[in-house]
Amino acid sequence: MKEIWKKHKKLIVIAVVAVVVVAFFFNPFKGSGNSDLMVQTTVLAKQDLSKTVEVTGLVESADSMKVTSSLAAYEMQTINVKAGDKVEAGQVLGTVDVEDLLLDVQKAEASLNINDQTTGLTLNSTQQEYEDFKADLENNMNSSINNAQTNVDNALTTLNDAKKAYNEALEDMDQGENETIKKAQKAVDNARKAYRNASDAYDSYDPDASESLINSLLADLTRQCTNADGEIDRVKLCPTYDSEKAKILAQGASSGSSESSLKSASDSAYDAYKEAKDALADAVKAADKQLESYLDAVDKAQTAYDNAEKNLTIAKRNAQQQLKTYEDSLTKTQLSASDPSRQIELQKLKKQLNEAEITAPISGTVTAVNVEVGDKASGVLFVIENADALKINTAIKEYDLMSVQNGMKAIISADAIPNEKYNGKVSFIAPAAKKAADGSTKSGSSSVEFESEIDVTDTKTDLRIGMNAKVNIIVEEKKGALAVPYDAVITDVDGTSYIYVAQQDGNKYTAKKVIVTIGMETDFLLEVISDELQEGDIVITSPQGVSEGATVLLG
C-alpha cells in the first residue's frame, strides 16, 4: 500500500536532517561530556493521511463499440472511413453489395405468394371435407353407419323369424298339433283297430261268413291306409298295402275263408299295426330333430344379430374417429396457413436489405478498420471508441480485494505523462477471479486476480487509449490527523501502546511517556490519539533505551 504524500518523502527527510543538525550545533542546552541518551525526534503536526492499493493497467475507452454486419455472406462495396477519423452516431461507415440479397428477397416474395395460394386451396378442400362428413353424421347419412344399421335390422328380423318358427314348432309338439305325428298316430289307431277286428274274426271263426269277412278285412285295410286327404298312403301309412290286399283277395279266392286264412289275416294286421307304431316313432324323432334345427337357427340368428350390433358400434366409433381426423387435418391446415415463419423470413431479408449501409452506433473516433472493399462483411468490421470517456482496465490481487469497493476514489498517472495526475473512481470489480486458458480458476496466491475497471472522472486529460497507467486506489483517508513513524510507537505485551515526548526542563529535555490509541495506519505512519498530545510536541522516534523522566539529548 502507498500514500499520496509519499512522493515528497525525500524532501521531508532532508529538511528534518538539516533541522536536527542545526539544532545540535546551536542547542544552548547541549551539555558536554555528559552521559545523557542521544535520541532522534520529529515535531508532531497534523497531516492528511491516505492508504492506497496500487494497480496497473491499460487505458481504454469507456464507450467502445465493435461494428459488425448481419450480411456476413456478402461483400463490402464501399469503405468510407479510415482509422483516426471522428464520426457521429448514424454516419455511414461503409456499404455492402446487396444485389444478390435483393434477388433473395424477390424469390422469397414469390415463394410466399405461391405458398399462400396453395395453402388457401388446401384449406378450402379440407374445410369442405370436414363439413360434409360432419353433416352426413348429423343427418344420419353416413354410408358405413347406415349399412351397419341395415345389417342390424335384417339380423333382428331373421332372429325374430327363427324364434317364431321355433316357438310354433315347440307349441305344436306340446299340443300334439304336428301334422306328421298326427297322421302317424291316426295310422297307428287304424292299424290297431284292424288288428283287433282281424283277431276277433279269427277268434269267432264261422265258415259261412267268409265272404263278409273278406269284405270286412278289405274295408279295414283301406281305412287303415287312407290319409286325411282320402287317398291311399303307400309311403308312410301303408308301404305294404298292395301286398296285404293281395293276400286278402287270395284268401277270398280260395275255397272260402278257412281258419288258417283268418289266422293269417290276424297276423298280417298285427304286422301292419307294428309297422304303424314304428312309423309313429320315426315321425316323433323327425319332429324332435326339426325342433333342434329351429333352435340351432335361433342361436345362429342371435350370433349374427350380436355381430351386427358390434359392427354398428364399430362403424359409429370409426365415424367419430374419422371426423376427428378431418378436424385435426383442418386445424393443421389452418395453422399452416397462419404460419408466420415464411413472412418472418421475408421480413428478415428485407431488414438485412435495409442494413446494406453500415452506420456508426455511437459518436467517437474510428480506431480500427478491419475490412477492405471486396472482403466479406464478416467479423468485426470497424471499432469506434469515445476518446473523451476513458477507463483503466486493470486487476486487483486477491489480498487487496476486500479493501477495495466500487465508488472508491483513485489517482491515475502514466509514465508517458510525467508529473501529471488525474482523478478516477472504481466502477467495476469482477465477481469471480480470472480464468485460466482451460476455463478453470487460476490458483496460487501470487496469481489470483479479479478484473476491475477504473473510470477516469476528469474530462480533460492527456491520456490516450492504449497507454500503460498506474492507479492508486484510495481505500482510506483522514484529514488533519496527528501521525508519527512506526518506530516511534512502543507496544507492551499487554497491548498498551505509547510514545515518548521530549519536554524542555530548564536547559535540558526529559522524556515523558504518553499512552496513545492507534488510529489509521499507512505504509510509514501511524495515527496516534491522546488528549495529552498537541501540535508542536517533540516526539522521540528512536525510543530504544528511553524511560520515563530520563534526560535525553536531541539528535
Side-chain angles (χ1 to χ4, degrees):
M1 295 185 182
K2 307 294 182 182
E3 64 279 11
I4 294 174
W5 60 272
K6 190 173 69 174
K7 65 177 183 175
H8 301 297
K9 179 177 67 175
K10 292 183 179 180
L11 295 176
I12 295 173
V13 172
I14 294 172
V16 171
V17 171
V19 171
V20 172
V21 171
V22 172
F24 178 80
F25 286 101
F26 294 94
N27 184 1
F29 302 102
K30 180 178 65 174
S32 60
N34 57 43
S35 59
D36 295 336
L37 182 63
M38 179 70 70
V39 295
Q40 301 296 321
T41 62
T42 185
V43 177
L44 191 62
K46 290 183 178 180
Q47 51 191 306
D48 295 338
L49 301 180
S50 64
K51 185 187 299 184
T52 65
V53 170
E54 184 177 297
V55 294
T56 59
L58 288 176
V59 179
E60 297 182 357
S61 174
D63 189 7
S64 176
M65 292 294 293
K66 295 178 179 179
V67 182
T68 60
S69 172
S70 62
L71 306 176
Y74 301 91
E75 296 179 356
M76 292 295 300
Q77 190 173 43
T78 63
I79 305 293
N80 301 336
V81 296
K82 62 182 182 301
D85 288 351
K86 290 186 178 298
V87 295
E88 298 295 327
Q91 182 176 333
V92 177
L93 305 177
T95 59
V96 179
D97 185 353
V98 291
E99 183 178 352
D100 291 341
L101 179 59
L102 181 59
L103 295 176
D104 290 341
V105 170
Q106 295 172 348
K107 180 180 178 181
E109 288 177 335
S111 175
L112 180 62
N113 183 47
I114 294 174
N115 181 73
D116 288 344
Q117 294 179 15
T118 303
T119 303
L121 293 174
T122 303
L123 179 60
N124 291 337
S125 175
T126 306
Q127 179 81 35
Q128 191 64 47
E129 286 179 345
Y130 169 72
E131 291 179 353
D132 290 347
F133 193 85
K134 183 179 180 182
D136 286 347
L137 282 180
E138 292 174 348
N139 297 324
N140 298 321
M141 296 176 61
N142 182 272
S143 59
S144 296
I145 294 178
N146 291 344
N147 290 337
Q149 183 64 58
T150 299
N151 292 337
V152 169
D153 296 340
N154 292 339
L156 180 60
T157 299
T158 301
L159 176 61
N160 291 335
D161 290 345
K163 287 182 177 179
K164 180 179 179 181
Y166 171 74
N167 290 332
E168 288 177 352
L170 182 62
E171 184 177 359
D172 288 346
M173 288 283 288
D174 292 340
Q175 296 179 4
E177 296 296 329
N178 184 281
E179 290 299 328
T180 302
I181 296 176
K182 286 172 64 176
K183 291 178 181 180
Q185 183 64 52
K186 184 177 179 181
V188 169
D189 293 341
N190 291 335
R192 182 187 302 112
K193 186 175 181 181
Y195 168 64
R196 287 177 179 173
N197 291 334
S199 179
D200 290 343
Y202 173 71
D203 292 339
S204 58
Y205 170 73
D206 183 359
D208 296 331
S210 60
E211 183 177 356
S212 63
L213 175 61
I214 294 301
N215 292 332
S216 176
L217 290 176
L218 289 174
D220 288 342
L221 178 61
T222 300
R223 186 172 50 256
Q224 175 184 345
C225 296
T226 301
N227 58 25
D229 296 329
E231 298 176 350
I232 300 299
D233 188 349
R234 291 179 172 82
V235 177
K236 293 183 179 180
L237 298 180
C238 296
T240 60
Y241 170 76
D242 293 329
S243 61
E244 292 298 325
K245 182 179 178 181
K247 289 181 181 180
I248 295 174
L249 293 176
Q251 292 175 0
S254 62
S255 59
S257 297
S258 62
E259 181 178 3
S260 61
S261 298
L262 293 176
K263 176 67 170 65
S264 176
S266 176
D267 292 340
S268 296
Y270 175 77
D271 292 336
Y273 171 61
K274 184 177 179 182
E275 289 177 359
K277 287 178 63 177
D278 292 340
L280 175 61
D282 290 341
V284 171
K285 288 181 180 179
D288 288 340
K289 188 174 181 180
Q290 182 64 39
L291 188 63
E292 289 179 1
S293 68
Y294 284 140
L295 184 60
D296 184 58
V298 171
D299 291 339
K300 289 180 179 179
Q302 183 67 55
T303 300
Y305 174 74
D306 292 341
N307 290 335
E309 283 282 359
K310 291 179 182 178
N311 291 335
L312 176 60
T313 301
I314 292 173
K316 291 180 178 180
R317 183 171 64 247
N318 288 343
Q320 292 298 323
Q321 291 175 348
Q322 184 63 41
L323 180 64
K324 183 65 169 58
T325 299
Y326 280 127
E327 184 178 7
D328 291 345
S329 179
L330 176 60
T331 301
K332 183 178 179 181
T333 305
Q334 290 172 336
L335 291 175
S336 178
S338 61
D339 182 10
S341 59
R342 290 177 178 267
Q343 185 65 43
I344 291 173
E345 184 63 27
L346 178 59
Q347 292 174 354
K348 181 180 177 182
L349 291 174
K350 289 184 176 180
K351 180 176 180 295
Q352 289 179 333
L353 192 62
N354 294 330
E355 294 174 353
E357 290 186 343
I358 302 172
T359 58
I362 61 172
S363 298
T365 302
V366 178
T367 57
V369 178
N370 301 324
V371 68
E372 296 179 356
V373 173
D375 290 346
K376 295 291 185 182
S378 59
V380 178
L381 306 178
F382 306 93
V383 178
I384 300 176
E385 298 181 278
N386 186 351
D388 295 327
L390 301 177
K391 67 180 180 180
I392 312 300
N393 194 354
T394 184
I396 298 173
K397 293 189 179 297
E398 181 182 21
Y399 52 78
D400 289 328
L401 184 65
M402 301 310 296
S403 302
V404 181
Q405 296 179 3
N406 281 330
M408 283 184 170
K409 294 187 295 183
I411 303 300
I412 302 167
S413 60
D415 292 340
I417 313 172
N419 302 322
E420 292 293 337
K421 297 188 182 297
Y422 306 103
N423 294 311
K425 69 175 181 179
V426 179
S427 59
F428 170 74
I429 302 174
K434 286 184 178 181
K435 302 294 184 180
D438 61 357
S440 61
T441 302
K442 290 183 178 180
S443 60
S445 59
S446 63
S447 61
V448 176
E449 295 179 325
F450 293 77
E451 291 183 350
S452 307
E453 294 178 1
I454 313 296
D455 287 346
V456 179
T457 56
D458 287 344
T459 56
K460 298 295 182 181
T461 72
D462 292 325
L463 295 171
R464 295 291 180 267
I465 295 172
M467 279 185 176
N468 291 307
K470 181 173 65 175
V471 181
N472 284 291
I473 303 171
I474 301 173
V475 298
E476 186 178 359
E477 62 181 343
K478 191 167 188 179
K479 304 290 187 181
L482 296 176
V484 298
Y486 272 87
D487 291 342
V489 180
I490 301 173
T491 301
D492 287 341
V493 293
D494 61 358
T496 301
S497 299
Y498 57 90
I499 62 173
Y500 285 107
V501 176
Q503 292 185 326
Q504 188 173 1
D505 184 12
N507 62 351
K508 62 180 180 179
Y509 284 93
T510 58
K512 178 185 178 183
K513 181 178 181 181
V514 178
I515 297 176
V516 296
T517 300
I518 304 301
M520 179 178 169
E521 300 181 19
T522 70
D523 285 347
F524 303 104
L525 299 175
L526 293 175
E527 179 189 9
V528 288
I529 303 171
S530 174
D531 292 339
E532 299 182 47
L533 297 177
Q534 60 184 355
E535 284 188 279
D537 285 345
I538 301 173
V539 177
I540 299 173
T541 59
S542 56
Q544 292 80 5
V546 179
S547 59
E548 174 73 22
T551 299
V552 294
L553 298 178
L554 304 185

